[in-house]
Amino acid sequence: MGYQTEQKKVLLEYLSQHSDQAFSIDELAEGMQADAELSSVPGKSTLYRLMSQLVEEGRVKRFAKGHSRHFLYQMVSCPHCTEHLHLRCTVCGKLYHMEDQESAQIVRTILERHHFAVDGADAVLPGCCEECQPHRQEDHPHLKSKERNETDK
């Protein structure tokens, strides 16, 4: 892990307190500035550098925001995060951890049917979480038809 500066320590504490959230660098900087309990807040250039280090160390996941070139960062909050797949809501950015057994079954099925080995450590499946689906139905007609089919039963 190497030498840990005070700024890195403050960043890790903030990310740990918000481990269920994904942040852009701007959102992270704004959130940390607004937190009165933080003693010193790193600047944006320092945040970019520290987040790159944390991604490289495997302590933070980085993923594209929607279909843009902007990135979100989220603390890896479980000790065996590399052993299962993740689901990421493209609307709110929240990262969900799949159960290890479900992940293993999906990875096995893909390998058996498509002869393709999924790297579970980096696999993040984009989609829309339950909370955001009502907001996205206009943009995604397949969500409407799925919901309609379920209510018709």
Side-chain angles (χ1 to χ4, degrees):
M1 238 180 290
Y3 175 71
Q4 184 165 303
T5 63
E6 181 63 27
Q7 291 178 322
K8 189 173 183 179
K9 182 180 172 186
V10 168
L11 175 59
L12 284 169
E13 285 174 15
Y14 185 82
L15 290 171
S16 293
Q17 292 169 358
H18 301 89
S19 63
D20 63 333
Q21 292 177 263
F23 300 96
S24 67
I25 294 295
D26 288 338
E27 292 166 339
L28 191 56
E30 289 170 16
M32 292 179 77
Q33 288 288 343
D35 191 332
E37 294 182 20
L38 295 180
S39 56
S40 64
V41 177
K44 281 188 193 176
S45 60
T46 302
L47 285 174
Y48 277 107
R49 182 178 48 79
L50 290 174
M51 292 306 277
S52 291
Q53 288 175 8
L54 293 173
V55 168
E56 194 172 302
E57 292 170 8
R59 297 169 82 179
V60 168
K61 280 201 173 289
R62 180 183 105 156
F63 41 87
K65 183 176 184 176
H67 300 291
S68 71
R69 293 179 145 218
H70 297 99
F71 293 100
L72 295 175
Y73 300 86
Q74 186 168 358
M75 183 96 178
V76 173
S77 58
C78 67
H80 59 285
C81 230
T82 59
E83 297 172 20
H84 55 248
L85 303 174
H86 295 85
L87 308 173
R88 181 183 50 81
C89 179
T90 56
V91 178
C92 68
K94 190 170 182 181
L95 192 69
Y96 296 87
H97 303 269
M98 287 187 72
E99 295 292 328
D100 292 353
Q101 290 179 337
E102 286 177 317
S103 294
Q105 180 60 47
I106 291 169
V107 168
R108 249 191 324 275
T109 300
I110 291 170
L111 182 60
E112 290 168 3
R113 292 188 183 169
H114 303 283
H115 308 286
F116 187 87
V118 174
D119 180 0
D122 292 322
V124 179
L125 304 174
C128 191
C129 74
E130 185 175 25
E131 292 174 16
C132 294
Q133 284 178 19
H135 306 291
R136 295 289 297 217
Q137 287 180 351
E138 295 79 36
D139 298 337
H140 297 282
H142 67 280
L143 292 176
K144 278 186 177 179
S145 62
K146 181 180 175 186
E147 184 179 273
R148 195 171 37 245
N149 290 340
E150 288 176 4
T151 57
D152 291 343
K153 291 180 183 177

